[in-house]
Amino acid sequence: MRIAVVEDDDGVGDALVDALNEVGHEPRRMRRGADLLLGHRDFDLALLDLGLPDEDGLTVLRRLRTVSRLPVVVLTARDDERSVVRALRGGADDYVVKPARLGELMARLEVAARRRVAAAPATVGRQISTGDITVDLDARRVTVAGTDVALTPKEFELLAHLVGRRGEAVSREQLMDAIWGDAYVAISRSLDVHMTALRAKLGRPGVIETIRGYGYRWGS
């Protein structure tokens, strides 16, 4: 697995990276929560400390969960019940207190990864139709009433993300993270401009529903 090791202590972080390499994983060391928020798409799992220099790990976890289902195992010196409960309720897949036994930690990482795979929704078909709109995700082709609609790359990515989760509410942060690569730095005005253009090109009012104060939903 590609594992993000989010740990600011060099001794602990280096030891974790060495141990993960030894058993065949591909770890990458990070020292700040912001690094995980910016790079989470490149990993299969994150090992997250709570005492980070830029912001508390629980805050990082909460922000990550607004855009990603990446498995997260918290590894921290905090052993109080309040921290455990907050982490698990905030979306952590597991909670391990330092110092952790290596064999147990590896097993917990594997279980967290398997649990997420088992819970993942079934892959949707690669060609999806809603009314007279057909989206071919492989060919990157869109037709409305049998006529091809020319979309820019960003417009198609926006459409594909919504269509792939048709019927679900998708937040603005999730869209900006998926398409621009960062839900927290990307200029939200870019999303508004592309959404307006996409709706105009499709010419089907209501097929992309606005959820006030949250995001959008593709009609099921």
Side-chain angles (χ1 to χ4, degrees):
M1 291 185 291
R2 300 167 301 167
I3 300 177
V5 178
V6 191
E7 169 64 65
D8 68 321
D9 184 288
D10 288 335
V12 174
D14 292 344
L16 286 170
V17 167
D18 289 344
L20 290 167
N21 272 319
E22 281 291 323
V23 295
H25 294 301
E26 298 177 22
R28 188 197 302 173
R29 174 78 185 287
M30 297 177 170
R31 291 174 173 78
R32 305 181 308 144
D35 298 330
L36 178 62
L37 293 174
L38 289 170
H40 66 85
R41 292 167 303 281
D42 297 330
F43 297 96
D44 302 308
L45 184 143
L47 192 56
L48 177 66
D49 186 23
L50 297 185
L52 300 174
D54 55 341
E55 61 183 330
D56 188 82
L58 292 173
T59 301
V60 174
L61 176 62
R62 185 174 65 252
R63 295 177 68 186
L64 179 67
R65 279 292 169 259
T66 66
V67 297
S68 174
R69 289 177 51 81
L70 178 74
V72 175
V73 174
V74 169
L75 177 62
T76 180
R78 297 183 197 174
D79 60 357
D80 60 288
E81 183 180 11
R82 184 169 181 267
S83 292
V84 176
V85 170
R86 289 182 65 195
L88 294 176
R89 286 181 175 172
D93 294 88
D94 207 342
Y95 193 104
V96 182
V97 177
K98 298 176 183 176
R101 291 174 294 187
L102 185 58
E104 178 184 352
L105 177 61
M106 296 302 172
R108 288 177 180 269
L109 293 177
E110 292 166 8
V111 169
R114 288 202 302 269
R115 186 185 302 128
R116 284 289 174 158
V117 170
T123 303
V124 299
R126 301 300 296 177
Q127 183 168 299
I128 301 169
S129 296
T130 300
D132 62 355
I133 301 174
T134 299
V135 181
D136 189 324
L137 297 173
D138 291 322
R140 295 180 68 88
R141 182 186 181 197
V142 181
T143 62
V144 177
T147 301
D148 285 341
V149 176
L151 300 180
T152 67
K154 282 287 189 285
E155 289 166 358
F156 184 86
E157 290 170 22
L158 178 57
L159 175 63
H161 197 81
L162 290 171
V163 165
R165 299 178 60 179
R166 61 191 184 279
E168 296 182 31
V170 182
S171 72
R172 293 175 61 87
E173 290 79 10
Q174 288 169 326
L175 288 170
M176 288 189 290
D177 183 80
I179 297 165
W180 283 274
D182 182 9
Y184 307 104
V185 176
I187 301 172
S188 61
R189 180 61 181 160
S190 296
L191 174 57
D192 297 331
V193 170
H194 284 82
M195 181 63 73
T196 298
L198 175 60
R199 283 170 158 162
K201 289 180 178 181
L202 294 177
R204 295 294 182 268
V207 71
I208 300 177
E209 176 188 353
T210 297
I211 303 172
R212 188 174 179 83
Y214 184 77
Y216 303 93
R217 179 189 293 114
W218 180 265
S220 57

